[in-house]
């Protein structure tokens, strides 16, 4: 990672222009497409274009002291829309946040707690590593802990923090374990040795913590024999695919929907139990807008007999972010306190407008965010939130029904 300590605004922009991530921010022509397309741009004191303008005008401290520096939720819409191909989400925002912390401008308390949890316990929830495999208790398929029984496998499954610890997500985790086994895939996990991949830490400027996680994870992964890594977390997928290789840690990696969609022919005869429901799918930002993976999750849903798929008015590259990415999972209170709104509340309303009875997702953060939003909107019992993996497992008669 590029260190940005003691740089003024112009020097910071110049350094970002040398990273190879998109074009130099100094090429910004102030067209405003980034601010106009940002779901929180209208309430930011400094939306992306103004960040660049003020930094270049030697007003960097004013920018770094603003609450706006912590309001980006990493949806990548600004980067997608920029006609100059400036890498705003992945480089500008993290570099400014790194600079802010180095100059003593601290992030919101909730985010500081998350950083501490990752540093102390290796996960964002502050749970004991010994509880990493609690999701597998009494599971009816074998879970191979490669940290204790190293052997060659096709898939090293990095389970992730929320899928390991959060009760609602554990149902999805158990369902994915059953699907892998039913497909005849040899797979294993890291058990108590697994640590967070660190994408949210990177996005929020904790470069030192991210580098530490990369090094610790690389030492463990390099000792194992596997064909590819699979993860349920789009943010972990993004980091492993795009940022770990910069530290010499390159591994073939797929998000779970990508992995399963490559096995449609094997899944088709197994997906036989009808699910009579109208379903709309939410495109998560890392796998969708950033990786262009729109069809695989829809092809998986299309396998399920009885399921009718409808689209929201904003879908695919135009989908509205859930607000949980890039550290936003812990910043709702900060965003609302500074004039913003919970994007999950807006998105659940868009889902409800389709008339669907199920909102399908493929990111661990989205289950809790959208279920909370459904309760706030009075949609509980009318609009269920289900992971694509859950729906597949149910149609394969393998899954556990969610409480919703």
């Amino acid at each position: 990672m590029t260190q940005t300590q003691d740089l003024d605004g112009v020097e910071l922009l110049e350094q970002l222009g040398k990273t190879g991530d998109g074009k130099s921010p100094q090429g910004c022509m102030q067209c405003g497409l980034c601010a106009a397309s940002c779901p929180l741009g209208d309430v930011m004191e400094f939306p992306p274009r103004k960040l660049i303008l003020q930094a270049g005008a030697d007003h960097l401290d004013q920018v770094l002291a603003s609450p706006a520096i912590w309001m980006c939720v990493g949806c990548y819409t600004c980067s997608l829309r920029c006609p100059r191909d400036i890498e705003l989400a992945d480089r500008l925002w993290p570099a400014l946040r790194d600079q802010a912390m180095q100059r003593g401008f601290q992030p919101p308390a909730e985010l500081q707690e998350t950083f501490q949890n990752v540093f102390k316990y290796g996960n964002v929830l502050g749970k004991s590593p010994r509880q990493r495999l609690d999701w597998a208790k009494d599971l009816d398929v074998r879970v191979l802990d490669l940290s204790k029984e190293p052997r060659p496998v096709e898939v090293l499954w990095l389970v992730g923090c929320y899928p390991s610890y959060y009760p609602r997500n554990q149902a999805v985790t158990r369902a994915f374990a059953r699907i892998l086994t039913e497909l005849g895939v040899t797979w294993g996990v890291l058990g108590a040795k697994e640590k967070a991949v660190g994408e949210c830490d990177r996005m929020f400027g904790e470069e030192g913590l991210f580098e530490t996680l990369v090094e610790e994870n690389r030492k463990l992964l390099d000792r194992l024999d596997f064909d590819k890594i699979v993860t349920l977390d789009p943010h972990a997928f993004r980091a492993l695919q795009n940022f770990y290789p910069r530290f010499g840690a390159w591994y073939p990696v797929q998000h779970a929907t990508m992995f399963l969609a490559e096995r449609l022919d094997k899944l088709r005869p197994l997906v036989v139990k009808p699910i009579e429901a109208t379903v709309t799918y939410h495109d998560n930002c890392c796998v969708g807008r950033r990786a262009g993976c729109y069809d695989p999750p829809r092809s998986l849903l299309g396998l399920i007999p009885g399921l009718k798929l409808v689209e929201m008015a904003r879908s695919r590259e135009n989908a509205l972010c859930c607000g949980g990415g890039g550290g936003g999972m812990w910043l709702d209170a900060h965003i609302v306190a500074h004039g913003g709104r919970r994007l999950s509340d807006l998105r659940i309303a868009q889902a409800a407008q389709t008339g669907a009875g199920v909102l399908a997702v493929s990111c661990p953060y989205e289950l809790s965010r959208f279920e909370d939003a459904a309760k706030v909107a009075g949609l509980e019992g009318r609009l269920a939130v289900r992971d694509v993996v859950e729906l597949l497992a149910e149609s394969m008669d393998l899954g556990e029904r969610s409480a919703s």
Side-chain angles (χ1 to χ4, degrees), residues 183 257-271 295-304 388 392:
L183 288 173
T257 57
M258 300 171 175
F259 177 81
L260 293 174
E262 288 184 349
R263 289 154 179 81
L264 289 179
D265 289 342
K266 288 187 176 181
L267 284 167
R268 189 169 285 110
L270 303 174
V271 180
D295 292 329
R298 289 172 171 82
S299 67
L300 294 171
L301 292 170
L303 284 180
I304 300 173
V388 172
L392 266 182

Side-chain angles (χ1 to χ4, degrees), residues 70-328:
W70 309 107
M71 292 179 74
C72 169
V73 293
C75 74
Y76 301 109
T77 305
C78 58
S79 299
L80 181 70
R81 299 283 182 258
C82 180
R84 290 292 179 88
D85 295 325
I86 299 170
E87 187 42 76
L88 299 163
D90 264 335
R91 286 303 297 141
L92 179 65
W93 286 98
L96 289 170
R97 288 160 170 167
D98 172 63
Q99 185 78 175
M101 286 188 286
Q102 291 187 38
R103 296 193 184 189
F105 299 107
Q106 294 302 312
E110 299 90 338
L111 201 59
Q112 294 181 52
E113 182 181 357
T114 302
F115 292 155
Q116 286 297 318
N117 285 340
V118 173
F119 179 75
K120 291 180 179 178
Y121 304 105
N123 65 83
V124 298
L125 294 166
K127 300 290 186 180
S128 168
R130 292 191 299 273
Q131 296 175 296
R132 272 277 184 185
L133 275 178
D134 280 2
W135 62 267
K137 288 181 179 178
D138 303 319
L139 189 63
D140 51 357
V141 298
R142 187 185 180 209
V143 178
L144 176 63
D145 184 348
L146 294 172
S147 69
K148 295 180 178 179
E149 300 179 66
R151 66 183 65 181
V153 291
E154 295 172 69
V155 167
L156 169 59
W157 174 16
L158 293 185
V159 181
C161 298
Y162 270 76
S164 293
Y165 295 112
Y166 198 69
R168 177 63 184 91
N169 292 101
Q170 287 177 336
V172 181
T173 309
R174 291 162 67 89
F176 191 56
R178 293 186 179 107
I179 291 174
L180 288 175
T181 303
E182 188 72 10
L183 288 173
V185 176
T186 59
W187 60 278
V189 299
L190 296 179
K193 296 294 185 181
E194 183 177 342
K195 292 181 179 290
V197 171
E199 174 65 349
C200 292
D201 306 291
R202 184 194 68 79
M203 288 288 288
F204 263 84
E206 266 289 356
E207 295 184 352
L209 180 55
F210 178 69
E211 291 182 24
T212 298
L213 290 169
V214 172
E215 185 61 26
E216 290 178 354
N217 285 325
R218 179 173 62 177
K219 288 179 180 177
L220 180 58
L221 295 175
D222 285 351
R223 294 200 297 266
L224 300 175
D225 186 353
F226 55 89
D227 293 338
K228 68 178 60 177
I229 293 172
V230 175
T231 176
L232 294 168
D233 183 358
H235 307 93
F237 160 76
R238 170 88 181 136
L240 288 162
Q241 183 187 58
N242 291 84
F243 296 100
Y244 270 53
R246 302 183 185 194
F247 299 92
W250 183 89
Y251 311 99
V253 58
Q254 287 185 309
H255 183 257
T257 57
M258 300 171 175
F259 177 81
L260 293 174
E262 288 184 349
R263 289 154 179 81
L264 289 179
D265 289 342
K266 288 187 176 181
L267 284 167
R268 189 169 285 110
L270 303 174
V271 180
V272 295
K273 182 180 175 182
I275 298 179
E276 302 294 341
T278 300
V279 177
T280 190
Y281 175 70
H282 168 74
D283 293 279
N284 70 70
C285 300
C286 286
V287 168
R289 187 156 31 242
R290 201 57 181 176
C293 177
Y294 302 116
D295 292 329
R298 289 172 171 82
S299 67
L300 294 171
L301 292 170
L303 284 180
I304 300 173
L307 186 152
K308 177 185 177 183
L309 183 63
V310 296
E311 296 287 356
M312 285 182 260
R314 293 186 61 175
S315 64
R316 296 181 177 256
E317 72 172 36
N318 295 315
L320 179 67
C321 176
C322 80

